[in-house]
Amino acid sequence: MQLYRSLTFLAVFLGNVLALGHGIPDFYYVGSGNFTLAGAFLTIKGPLGNRLSDHFSAGTIIDHRGRRIAEFVNGTGVDNGSIDLNGQLHVDLRSTWILADGEPAYMTFQGIGPLGQVGWYHFAVESGSTEFGYLSKIFIFGNNTVASGSVLLDFWSPSDPDA
């Protein structure tokens, strides 16, 4: 339900902007991530497709200034996704990270895209960090690419992370 609301918001936002004749809005680059999959995929067959389960064994997020801002806490995140009958991967990832200032952060990553290709996702951060608290205050979306046991992510926002 949360994913549906997020994607609906983005679709309405873009539709309204384009309807006003202002063209496609500018988006600000927020950062990138590289996550290593443990490679312990568990596949569960079901009537709506196959459910996949794996977890990250490591990960790092770099912000738009090139600073390392977060490290994955091993054992806290499980990638629960499903592949529907049309071959679309539905991702629902929840994990804990330690920010560069030592504060913990809870992150969610949800979306849909073709398996093995670039997909678009909503990325949310919850943290009480004073240095990186801006991540909890802006709408973040991103894309991912899966490459030989790693997931590469790039994140953008309609809000300036430096504002």
Side-chain angles (χ1 to χ4, degrees):
M1 188 61 159
Q2 181 182 6
L3 170 64
Y4 176 76
R5 284 194 302 253
S6 299
L7 293 176
T8 300
F9 167 80
L10 184 59
V12 170
F13 172 77
L14 289 174
N16 286 335
V17 170
L18 294 174
L20 294 173
H22 297 294
I24 296 176
D26 290 329
F27 293 113
Y28 297 92
Y29 175 70
V30 176
S32 296
N34 184 350
F35 312 99
T36 304
L37 291 168
F41 278 111
L42 176 63
T43 303
I44 304 163
K45 295 182 187 235
L48 301 177
N50 293 324
R51 183 161 294 281
L52 302 176
S53 183
D54 195 0
H55 65 278
F56 293 146
S57 59
T60 301
I61 296 177
I62 306 296
D63 75 0
H64 60 288
R65 295 183 195 107
R67 300 179 303 166
R68 182 187 60 78
I69 62 168
E71 291 289 331
F72 176 69
V73 177
N74 196 8
T76 64
V78 176
D79 187 1
N80 288 312
S82 59
I83 303 171
D84 66 23
L85 298 175
N86 297 315
Q88 296 294 308
L89 175 64
H90 301 255
V91 174
D92 185 8
L93 169 71
R94 297 159 195 279
S95 58
T96 302
W97 295 71
I98 297 296
L99 299 174
D101 63 1
E103 290 290 321
Y106 177 75
M107 298 186 191
T108 61
F109 188 69
Q110 299 170 313
I112 183 172
L115 179 63
Q117 299 177 28
V118 174
W120 290 96
Y121 302 93
H122 173 249
F123 183 70
V125 179
E126 297 175 27
S127 179
S129 170
T130 54
E131 184 176 356
F132 302 106
Y134 68 91
L135 293 170
S136 299
K137 298 175 184 173
I138 61 176
F139 180 83
I140 303 172
F141 65 95
N143 66 12
N144 79 322
T145 305
V146 178
S148 71
S150 292
V151 178
L152 309 174
L153 301 163
D154 290 305
F155 308 106
W156 292 272
S157 177
S159 302
D160 184 351
D162 290 323

